[in-house]
Amino acid sequence: MSNLQEYLHNYINSPRDPMINALLGEEYEKIGQGAAATSYFLRAAELWHDTEKELAYNCFLKTWKQLHNTKRREGFEIGQLKLAIAYLPTRPEAYYHASLWYSNKKEWVDSYMFAQLGLKHINKSIGKPLKFDINYPGDYALKFQKAFSSWYIGKRELSKKLFLELYNDQSLPLNFKRIVTENCQSFNLIKF
């Protein structure tokens, strides 16, 4: 029996079990059924709302991810990120995605603001990763977003300083390291 069939069977027996709802959402996401995934993640968030804050927050981000994948409901997409932040403002993931969302729109002040706010909550989730993946690269990504957006709002020296700090971060993944290195070279912070 596939996971989807197993979870559907479990759902029939326990429709109010939030974990079963979330697992169904995951399975529907895997097969590209975003609308079904969204409904199960929303139901799981609703059921966990008062008891398991991090799991509910995670499900709010999963609903955001489904909306993001459709590329057609931008207002709802950013609204879901803001809902996640309002619900659990002490985790960094939603801030990162909001900063990235605004960067993609070239709305640099909002991008900078969300990166700055998110940086206040990094390192708090170490050892406490979210159960369901929401494409959060890591806390370094918020610093990257702040460095990137600060350039466009006239904080050029801050941008250079942050890119140099990122360049010296030995734990930075290669894809970020390449972009950071290119920026540091462009700013003449390092030699070619």
Side-chain angles (χ1 to χ4, degrees):
M1 181 176 346
S2 73
N3 283 344
L4 181 58
Q5 289 173 319
E6 177 186 341
Y7 298 148
L8 283 168
H9 184 265
N10 292 341
Y11 178 80
I12 290 168
N13 293 323
S14 300
R16 295 189 51 79
D17 183 320
M19 185 58 79
I20 291 170
N21 279 270
L23 290 171
L24 269 170
E26 278 277 282
E27 289 303 310
Y28 277 112
E29 179 182 66
K30 287 177 188 174
I31 62 171
Q33 297 294 318
T38 298
S39 67
Y40 285 109
F41 284 126
L42 282 173
R43 180 136 170 95
E46 176 187 324
L47 293 167
W48 270 323
H49 186 272
D50 295 325
T51 58
E52 297 288 341
K53 289 225 177 254
E54 288 197 357
L55 288 167
Y57 166 82
N58 196 175
C59 287
F60 287 135
L61 287 175
K62 290 298 277 187
T63 61
W64 157 78
K65 188 177 173 187
Q66 299 310 308
L67 293 168
H68 176 71
N69 290 341
T70 69
K71 309 236 184 278
R72 294 187 314 255
R73 308 202 56 194
E74 291 182 356
F76 289 111
E77 183 183 339
I78 192 62
Q80 204 64 27
L81 288 171
K82 290 176 180 178
L83 175 66
I85 291 169
Y87 179 72
L88 191 61
T90 57
R91 293 226 27 144
E93 300 88 356
Y95 292 103
Y96 165 73
H97 286 298
S99 177
L100 188 59
W101 191 89
Y102 282 109
S103 282
N104 291 334
K105 306 280 179 244
K106 297 183 176 10
E107 295 181 27
W108 305 115
V109 172
D110 288 332
S111 177
Y112 178 86
M113 177 190 69
F114 279 104
Q116 176 71 6
L117 290 170
L119 282 167
K120 295 176 187 274
H121 304 290
I122 62 171
N123 300 324
K124 293 181 181 177
S125 58
I126 291 177
K128 294 177 76 178
L130 294 174
K131 179 160 182 62
F132 305 106
D133 178 50
I134 47 87
N135 298 336
Y136 181 64
D139 291 345
Y140 60 85
L142 277 162
K143 186 183 247 187
F144 179 88
Q145 278 300 117
K146 182 177 178 181
F148 184 63
S149 60
S150 63
W151 180 265
Y152 290 100
I153 63 169
K155 295 178 177 264
R156 303 260 163 106
E157 293 307 311
L158 174 61
S159 179
K160 291 176 185 179
K161 175 184 173 281
L162 293 171
F163 274 120
L164 195 54
E165 286 176 13
L166 286 163
Y167 177 78
N168 291 316
D169 182 348
Q170 298 304 312
S171 66
L172 207 62
L174 287 177
N175 59 331
F176 273 84
K177 188 72 163 180
R178 182 182 48 76
I179 297 167
V180 167
T181 300
E182 288 171 6
N183 279 290
C184 287
Q185 288 172 337
S186 295
F187 300 149
N188 293 317
L189 300 173
I190 60 171
K191 292 183 180 181
F192 288 90

